[in-house]
Amino acid sequence: MSIADSPLHSSSSDDFVGFLESALDSGSPGSSPDEEADDDSDVEIDSNSAKRRKVEFGSTEEIPGSTSEVFVEELSEASTKEDICTHPGSFGDMCIVCGQPVDDKSSVIFGYIHKGLRLNNDEIDRLRKTDIKKSLRHKKLYLVLDLDHTLLNSTHLNHISAEEEYLHSQIDSLQDVSKGSLFRVDIMHMMTKLRPFVRTFLKEASEMFEMYIYTMGERAYALEMARLLDPRKEYFGDRVISRDDGTQKHQKGLDIVLGQDNAVVILDDTENAWTKHKDNLILMERYHFFSSSCKQFGFRCKSLSELRSDESEPEGALATVLEVLKRVHNMFFHELEDNLVERDVRQVLKTVKKDVLKGCKIVFSHEFPSNVDAENQPLWKMAEQLGAYCSTQVDPSVTYVVSGDAGTEKSKWAVKEKKFLVNKQWIEAANYMWQKQAEEKFPVKQMKAI
């Protein structure tokens, strides 16, 4: 997000926004964490149009500019007064506007924008409100993207199996990463494979969304992967969030994303990482290119690399979800009738999802223990979220029997009445792909009698 593009006219923090703009835009595209400055910085602030006052901030590591001095223009004389300044943000314990000590425990650290930067809740709300107006005016929403198993797959070099050794002869050059998809990143001691269709996906998604990377990986890894995906910093800029930036351990949250919750879509392969924002989430089918990835999740099958295969570009997960995003974007901006600012992308996602199995009436057989309430089971709820009507009894209106055993009475009834008989993965696949799947790909086997 370019904060300077927002129509910001608050007397308390226009100068702070100016600082953020310089912090966001002054970083050189090719710089790495090791190359960033590690100097003591002086920040000068105008007290009026003719004078400047220097405030010592001490050590501010990783300043993303080529100079250690950042000048913050002040638009209101009142904002320099200690008893009036609202302290919208700080470095360490010093206000970025007035330079006075600040002890705001409730503020949020935005270290991915600038190390040591904190914003208070009022300033975060103000920035979000002003930026959403700019984004909506340009017909853009926000898209938060996970890295591992969503956009790419990585493995440590010492985890490469014997059947994957051939990959060492097929790696692409790091000199121009825009032309490759398989990279050996020696600085990280790993090999990374970009998911098929990812470059087309990012290009087209960037026309509809302001995009963020959000990974539970370390910051050095996040920046290196961002460089592979976006070497010119045209899609993400500095909006790369790692686990070091989160406010809760082992959790991801939109509290450090400068976008309104009602305008954010999330793509991630792990639902549990977003316990507070599941309504914003599109759950992705995991990308397992390397054998170590399969083992990590307990799969005993061969990986795509061991099979010397890969996902289909035109029919893979990213191509499919791009069509979903296009529909969500179109519905949000062109089909809803309420006020644009009041629209909620979470409701749009629910509406789009309910169309996936619309018109399907499902009866389950041999899928839930007999002593549980079927309606509270995750598979039942998933089918309903996809728009299906679920029932416990068969009747002529039933269109599908989802069964774990072809030998049950309901399964036999489905065959006799020429209804679709599928296994539970038919529903799970529809949930991942956001479209109804071919029934013949999900046959039901008869369980052997014990």
Side-chain angles (χ1 to χ4, degrees):
M1 177 186 66
S2 179
I3 296 177
D5 292 338
S6 301
L8 301 171
H9 299 293
S10 165
S11 62
S12 67
S13 55
D14 284 3
D15 49 354
F16 178 56
V17 170
F19 169 76
L20 283 181
E21 173 62 16
S22 65
L24 285 167
D25 291 346
S26 62
S28 59
S31 63
S32 68
D34 295 333
E35 294 170 341
E36 294 177 0
D38 188 13
D39 302 321
D40 287 349
S41 298
D42 297 331
V43 178
E44 293 189 352
I45 303 175
D46 281 349
S47 59
N48 51 48
S49 59
K51 296 189 289 184
R52 289 180 183 269
R53 180 167 56 86
K54 183 175 291 188
V55 179
E56 298 289 341
F57 282 99
S59 177
T60 54
E61 298 176 358
E62 294 192 11
I63 301 268
S66 58
T67 177
S68 61
E69 291 189 349
V70 179
F71 294 97
V72 182
E73 182 178 0
E74 183 160 288
L75 301 181
S76 171
E77 183 175 344
S79 65
T80 65
K81 299 178 181 178
E82 296 177 30
D83 58 339
I84 294 179
C85 181
T86 59
H87 307 313
S90 63
F91 277 123
D93 61 352
M94 301 191 104
C95 176
I96 191 66
V97 172
C98 66
Q100 296 302 309
V102 176
D103 184 19
D104 187 358
K105 303 285 185 176
S106 65
S107 62
V108 179
I109 299 175
F110 282 79
Y112 68 94
I113 294 178
H114 199 294
K115 188 172 182 179
L117 172 64
R118 284 180 173 268
L119 301 179
N120 69 30
N121 291 327
D122 288 342
E123 185 66 7
I124 293 170
D125 288 343
R126 195 188 68 81
L127 289 173
R128 284 175 176 161
K129 287 176 182 177
T130 52
D131 196 67
I132 190 65
K133 292 178 182 178
K134 180 264 296 183
S135 295
L136 295 180
R137 188 167 63 249
H138 292 287
K139 288 186 166 56
K140 279 195 172 187
L141 298 171
Y142 302 90
L143 183 61
V144 177
L145 296 164
D146 173 53
L147 282 178
D148 295 287
H149 306 108
T150 299
L151 298 182
L152 49 81
N153 193 203
S154 295
T155 186
H156 287 283
L157 295 176
N158 58 357
H159 291 165
I160 292 176
S161 69
E163 292 180 82
E164 293 175 317
E165 286 294 332
Y166 75 96
L167 294 173
H168 288 291
S169 64
Q170 298 191 4
I171 58 174
D172 296 303
S173 172
L174 290 172
Q175 299 303 311
D176 185 2
V177 297
S178 64
K179 296 181 180 179
S181 66
L182 178 66
F183 303 99
R184 176 169 169 156
V185 188
D186 287 326
I187 192 173
M188 306 297 300
H189 305 290
M190 61 176 49
M191 188 177 291
T192 295
K193 174 67 174 61
L194 305 188
R195 197 166 198 167
F197 197 74
V198 69
R199 298 202 186 279
T200 301
F201 172 84
L202 293 177
K203 182 177 184 299
E204 295 194 23
S206 68
E207 297 172 1
M208 302 180 286
F209 297 88
E210 196 79 18
M211 299 194 298
Y212 286 74
I213 285 175
Y214 198 148
T215 176
M216 294 301 283
E218 295 180 353
R219 180 149 188 81
Y221 173 74
L223 292 174
E224 194 64 29
M225 295 303 102
R227 187 176 72 85
L228 298 180
L229 292 165
D230 184 19
R232 299 181 184 87
K233 298 184 103 173
E234 55 189 325
Y235 302 136
F236 303 109
D238 294 302
R239 298 181 299 275
V240 180
I241 304 173
S242 69
R243 72 182 182 200
D244 307 316
D245 304 306
T247 57
Q248 288 185 295
K249 197 172 184 180
H250 306 309
Q251 280 289 304
K252 296 179 179 180
L254 295 181
D255 53 343
I256 55 172
V257 174
L258 289 177
Q260 294 272 38
D261 287 12
N262 67 331
V264 177
V265 179
I266 302 165
L267 296 189
D268 204 314
D269 68 286
T270 306
E271 185 177 28
N272 291 337
W274 295 96
T275 55
K276 295 182 180 179
H277 305 287
K278 290 185 179 180
D279 289 341
N280 299 80
L281 176 66
I282 295 179
L283 191 62
M284 293 291 294
E285 181 181 13
R286 289 191 175 106
Y287 181 48
H288 297 293
F289 184 76
F290 297 105
S291 62
S292 63
S293 181
C294 291
K295 292 176 183 176
Q296 177 186 349
F297 289 91
F299 298 127
R300 297 181 179 179
C301 58
K302 288 190 174 183
S303 66
L304 289 168
S305 60
E306 289 176 317
L307 294 171
R308 303 201 176 204
S309 181
D310 208 345
E311 282 187 355
S312 164
E313 284 224 5
E315 299 177 359
L318 288 178
T320 299
V321 80
L322 179 62
E323 294 306 311
V324 175
L325 293 175
K326 287 179 179 179
R327 187 176 175 194
V328 168
H329 183 273
N330 182 70
M331 184 176 291
F332 186 94
F333 285 104
H334 303 295
E335 296 182 22
L336 299 183
E337 297 180 355
D338 52 336
N339 184 283
L340 185 61
V341 177
E342 296 175 354
R343 294 176 190 176
D344 196 325
V345 74
R346 293 167 291 195
Q347 295 303 316
V348 176
L349 286 169
K350 288 180 180 179
T351 300
V352 172
K353 197 166 193 176
K354 273 190 171 294
D355 281 343
V356 175
L357 296 182
K358 185 178 180 179
C360 298
K361 184 173 181 179
I362 297 173
V363 166
F364 293 93
S365 177
H366 207 75
E367 287 294 347
F368 314 125
S370 58
N371 62 338
V372 302
D373 184 0
E375 296 182 12
N376 288 324
Q377 297 304 300
L379 190 63
W380 182 295
K381 291 183 177 180
M382 183 185 294
E384 288 186 330
Q385 289 170 356
L386 293 167
Y389 176 81
C390 300
S391 176
T392 57
Q393 301 297 324
V394 297
D395 63 54
S397 66
V398 171
T399 55
Y400 288 84
V401 171
V402 176
S403 178
D405 183 0
T408 67
E409 290 302 317
K410 290 176 182 176
S411 296
K412 292 177 180 177
W413 175 87
V415 174
K416 180 182 177 182
E417 299 297 324
K418 296 184 179 179
K419 308 292 185 178
F420 290 112
L421 178 63
V422 294
N423 62 50
K424 68 177 183 179
Q425 292 178 332
W426 177 76
I427 296 176
E428 294 169 345
N431 188 56
Y432 276 124
M433 304 304 287
W434 286 59
Q435 61 184 15
K436 189 162 66 172
Q437 301 296 295
E439 293 82 5
E440 62 272 13
K441 293 182 179 179
F442 303 88
V444 180
K445 298 178 181 180
Q446 185 161 344
M447 295 181 65
K448 295 180 180 179
I450 298 176

